[in-house]
Amino acid sequence: MRYILIFTLLLISFLGQAQDKYFTKSGFISFFSHSPMEDITAVNKQVAAFLDIETGEITFAALIKSFTFEKALMQEHFNENYMESDNYPKATFKGKILDYDKAALLSGQPYKVKVEGKLLIRGIEKDLTTDVELIKEGNFIKGETLFIAKPSDFDIKIPALVKDNIAKEIEVTVKTKFEPY
């Protein structure tokens, strides 16, 4: 009987903590490169992310090989030549909402915040601060942001032959629908 009581107390404790954590494993990241020669878009719908609504901490992880392109050859070049996804299989972000207000997040109204953290791509970590809009809808928290990433910041080498086909700045869009963990 004593073990059942201890187990029940531990379970209640865990569930109490879990209510502060939200997650998704189907987040969305796309990037868009516009150049005079061509536009390139890639999409990844298998992004894992956690949001701690007690602390405002947020983390993302995306497998590089999960990005899909319109043309299979682009996807192959992206993975083998530019991202070297066998050596650097994922990109991550770890950050925190600045001036976090949990009550504002849970209000059901759009909550516009700045998120600051570290973006890790190809083994290179860079500071990133971006504007994010969050909104609580029922049991879910939706989030969306758009920011610019430069291939040169992550030592992504663009061959001279195609340098005019790939933008110097890439537009990155992230959308999530977090659910209670």
Side-chain angles (χ1 to χ4, degrees):
M1 185 67 176
R2 182 171 67 154
Y3 292 112
I4 293 173
L5 179 61
I6 291 171
F7 176 75
T8 303
L9 290 173
L10 286 173
L11 182 62
I12 289 170
S13 171
F14 175 76
L15 290 175
Q17 291 176 345
Q19 290 174 343
D20 292 336
K21 302 208 185 324
Y22 282 69
F23 85 107
T24 185
K25 57 184 173 186
S26 59
F28 171 92
I29 296 178
S30 69
F31 68 78
F32 176 70
S33 165
H34 171 73
S35 74
M37 299 300 289
E38 72 179 321
D39 290 342
I40 301 169
T41 301
V43 173
N44 186 336
K45 296 179 182 177
Q46 300 174 7
V47 179
F50 279 89
L51 170 64
D52 186 325
I53 66 168
E54 194 60 41
T55 64
E57 293 174 351
I58 190 164
T59 60
F60 284 83
L63 291 176
I64 299 302
K65 287 187 176 181
S66 293
F67 281 95
T68 58
F69 292 73
E70 185 178 318
K71 299 175 184 172
L73 188 57
M74 281 184 180
Q75 190 163 327
E76 183 181 323
H77 288 166
F78 173 78
N79 282 299
E80 292 177 8
N81 302 333
Y82 306 125
M83 296 302 287
E84 300 178 64
S85 55
D86 285 338
N87 295 329
Y88 308 102
K90 67 181 178 176
T92 61
F93 175 80
K94 293 181 184 181
K96 189 166 183 155
I97 299 170
L98 301 178
D99 299 322
Y100 179 60
D101 181 351
K102 181 179 176 182
L105 172 64
L106 299 178
S107 73
Q109 300 299 313
Y111 180 44
K112 295 182 181 193
V113 298
K114 283 208 178 295
V115 173
E116 180 179 78
K118 302 283 185 182
L119 178 62
L120 179 72
I121 298 174
R122 293 188 77 248
I124 298 171
E125 190 173 73
K126 294 288 182 182
D127 292 332
L128 174 67
T129 302
T130 186
D131 295 321
V132 176
E133 181 170 296
L134 298 167
I135 187 165
K136 182 149 183 1
E137 294 181 351
N139 287 331
F140 300 101
I141 298 174
K142 292 181 178 181
E144 187 169 340
T145 188
L146 184 143
F147 62 90
I148 301 298
K150 296 179 181 180
S152 60
D153 285 347
F154 299 97
D155 198 27
I156 297 171
K157 307 277 191 247
I158 310 297
L161 184 65
V162 294
K163 73 176 178 67
D164 293 335
N165 295 39
I166 299 172
K168 306 259 185 286
E169 294 185 339
I170 308 295
E171 187 177 283
V172 180
T173 300
V174 180
K175 296 179 183 179
T176 57
K177 185 176 179 182
F178 294 101
E179 59 186 82
Y181 184 62

